[in-house]
Amino acid sequence: MNGEILITWIYDALYRMGFKANHSGFFYLSRSVFLCIYEGSNRIPAARLRAEVARHYQTTPQTVKKQIHAAVTKVWRTDPAQMEAMMGHPLESRPSDAEILAYLYGYITGRKLEERE
């Protein structure tokens, strides 16, 4: 899989969900999805995933966690309907950061399978 194409798909999914690239959480979340796809699992322990993202961006795992949480919260407060439309079902409350990551992982890997056919 070409890494540039994968990043394009991840960014597209984030934009469709309502995320904006003017927030560091956008990039931390996209890198998290990228790493999960290359590992072949969305079950990477959160601490390890945050550490790898932090190393890539030369920051701390705590900053990664805080900024992803802030980005998800901002989308939820700004336009929950867009997030719901992307996820394909109504949401009664703000999805957790892990739920967003799992959804994006499934969306992108499902797209990968569709593109192969």
Side-chain angles (χ1 to χ4, degrees):
M1 157 75 41
N2 180 323
E4 289 180 22
I5 292 172
L6 180 56
I7 288 294
T8 300
W9 289 351
I10 294 168
Y11 284 7
D12 179 64
L14 286 167
Y15 291 134
R16 287 174 180 235
M17 193 174 276
F19 290 92
K20 306 279 187 259
N22 64 352
H23 194 287
S24 57
F26 174 96
F27 297 101
Y28 298 161
L29 185 55
S30 68
R31 182 70 181 174
S32 298
V33 174
F34 183 87
L35 292 171
C36 287
I37 290 171
Y38 266 87
E39 283 269 329
S41 172
N42 66 346
R43 306 248 185 242
I44 299 172
R48 186 178 126 217
L49 190 59
R50 286 192 295 268
E52 289 182 31
V53 171
R55 192 171 14 264
H56 179 79
Y57 286 104
Q58 300 178 341
T59 190
T60 65
Q62 191 62 21
T63 297
V64 170
K65 179 180 180 180
K66 180 180 172 184
Q67 292 302 314
I68 289 174
H69 185 81
V72 173
T73 299
K74 185 173 183 176
V75 172
W76 179 250
R77 288 183 180 159
T78 305
D79 194 356
Q82 189 170 350
M83 186 179 277
E84 289 176 331
M86 179 68 176
M87 295 180 81
H89 59 85
L91 300 169
E92 293 182 23
S93 62
R94 178 200 175 280
S96 71
D97 302 345
E99 288 172 316
I100 294 293
L101 179 63
Y103 171 79
L104 290 166
Y105 174 85
Y107 178 82
I108 299 297
T109 56
R111 184 172 181 180
K112 278 175 46 179
L113 293 174
E114 291 169 9
E115 294 287 327
R116 287 188 214 154
E117 296 175 357

